[in-house]
């Protein structure tokens, strides 16, 4: 089984695979429930980075180029058929840069890239500026994890859990800074961008700027919720529908009598 996958990917005969990349400080469990919500005909494949869940003993990857190479090597067997990518916050940068890397290295391009709760990669990000994340106190950094429907108070009260999570979050922010690019290269596939109406961290205008990152159709959609709307029902259903549109079902075989 590929190292970065949270579980054995579902070889259920689905015509489309959707690789999902989580936000900073989180793991593949951010996509719990997506398999039930994305709709039939799509195999949801959550990807989790080192430093969390079953890879918690591994050091987080903070070098963007290293991550792209390792993801390409590890996920290669999943890219031999129609697939799409969805990334949330940090995961949006991972999905976009991975798609670019795959195209530039001669691999099959994704049929669709979808991003959520993330400013376009060419926009300045005060949070990711050099040294900013390192200078945040633990309390300030913990504030990035919280939202109306985010981390339960009981978990925030667990010092051991919080200490490990904040360490991973700091590393993820370093990775995010390395994944940002001054000038985006347009992808040769449709790009869907999702923005939360009540997101205190990312504005709709910042998400709309992803339009520069594709030469093959851009779609912006605002959804209910704050920064962690990835856990709600609206986005997986919309991404599933978009992937169906990008990869239509093959016509039924003709019958001859």
């Amino acid at each position: 089984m590929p190292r970065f996958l949270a579980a054995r990917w579902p070889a259920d005969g689905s015509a489309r695979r959707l690789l999902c990349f989580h936000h900073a400080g989180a793991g593949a469990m951010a996509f719990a429930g997506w398999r039930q919500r994305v709709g039939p005909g799509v195999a949801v494949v959550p990807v989790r980075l080192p430093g969390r869940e079953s890879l918690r003993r591994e050091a987080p990857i903070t070098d963007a180029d290293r991550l792209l190479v390792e993801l390409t090597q590890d996920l290669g067997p999943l890219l031999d058929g129609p697939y799409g990518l969805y990334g949330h916050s940090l995961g949006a940068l991972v999905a976009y840069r991975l798609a670019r890397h795959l195209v530039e290295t001669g691999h099959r391009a994704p049929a669709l890239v979808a991003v959520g709760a993330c400013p376009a990669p060419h926009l300045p990000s005060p949070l990711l500026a050099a040294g900013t994340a390192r200078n945040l106190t633990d309390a300030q950094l913990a504030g990035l994890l919280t939202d109306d429907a985010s981390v339960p108070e009981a978990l925030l009260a667990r010092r051991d859990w919080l200490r490990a999570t904040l360490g991973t979050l700091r590393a993820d922010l370093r990775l995010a800074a390395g994944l940002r690019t001054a000038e985006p290269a347009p992808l040769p596939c449709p790009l869907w961008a999702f923005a939360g109406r009540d997101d205190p961290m990312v504005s709709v205008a910042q998400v709309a700027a992803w339009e520069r990152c594709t030469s093959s159709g851009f779609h912006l959609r605002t959804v209910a919720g704050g920064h962690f709307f990835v856990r709600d029902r609206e986005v997986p259903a919309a991404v599933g529908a978009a992937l169906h549109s990008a990869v239509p079902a093959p016509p039924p075989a003709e019958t001859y009598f």
Side-chain angles (χ1 to χ4, degrees):
M1 184 181 78
R3 162 176 160 243
F4 288 110
L5 296 194
R8 187 173 300 277
W9 70 277
D12 59 1
S14 297
R16 311 156 191 86
R17 297 167 190 164
L18 179 63
L19 280 69
C20 299
F21 300 89
H22 55 75
H23 51 280
M29 283 302 294
F31 298 99
W34 271 53
R35 287 175 181 167
Q36 292 75 39
R37 299 167 185 166
V38 78
V42 176
V44 175
V45 186
V47 179
R48 47 99 169 86
L49 302 184
R52 68 215 78 211
E53 297 175 344
S54 60
L55 293 182
R56 62 186 177 276
R57 296 182 183 277
E58 295 189 24
I61 296 177
T62 58
D63 181 87
D65 291 334
R66 176 190 162 195
L67 176 66
L68 297 176
V69 169
E70 292 194 17
L71 283 173
T72 300
Q73 293 173 343
D74 193 63
L75 302 177
L78 298 175
L79 309 179
D80 59 355
Y83 70 95
L85 307 177
Y86 175 79
H88 196 81
S89 197
L90 162 69
L93 297 173
V94 176
Y96 168 67
R97 287 293 306 278
L98 177 61
R100 276 185 53 182
H101 180 74
L102 292 170
V103 171
E104 292 166 359
T105 54
H107 292 79
R108 181 180 186 134
L112 168 84
V113 172
V115 297
C118 183
H122 55 281
L123 297 182
S125 173
L127 177 63
L128 300 181
T132 299
R134 291 196 299 272
N135 293 332
L136 292 177
T137 66
D138 282 355
Q140 290 170 325
L141 202 61
L144 300 180
L145 296 172
T146 59
D147 186 277
D148 288 343
S150 183
V151 181
E153 290 292 331
L155 276 181
L156 290 174
R158 286 177 47 189
R159 292 181 179 274
D160 55 342
W161 179 90
L162 186 59
R163 187 182 306 111
T165 301
L166 293 182
T168 301
L169 179 56
R170 291 185 190 277
D172 285 349
L173 293 177
R174 289 176 58 195
L175 173 63
L179 288 166
R180 300 194 73 82
T181 175
E183 188 60 34
L187 295 172
C189 64
L191 193 151
W192 281 74
F194 297 87
R197 295 190 188 96
D198 302 313
D199 189 341
M201 297 173 61
V202 184
S203 70
V204 174
Q206 289 175 308
V207 178
W210 278 93
E211 185 173 8
R212 289 177 56 184
C213 298
T214 179
S215 59
S216 184
F218 176 73
H219 309 269
L220 173 67
R221 180 164 172 171
T222 58
V223 299
H227 191 66
F228 299 102
F229 57 77
V230 65
R231 298 185 177 95
D232 300 330
R233 295 181 176 275
E234 186 173 356
V235 171
V239 174
L243 191 53
H244 272 277
S245 178
V247 186
E254 294 186 14
T255 302
Y256 298 92
F257 295 95

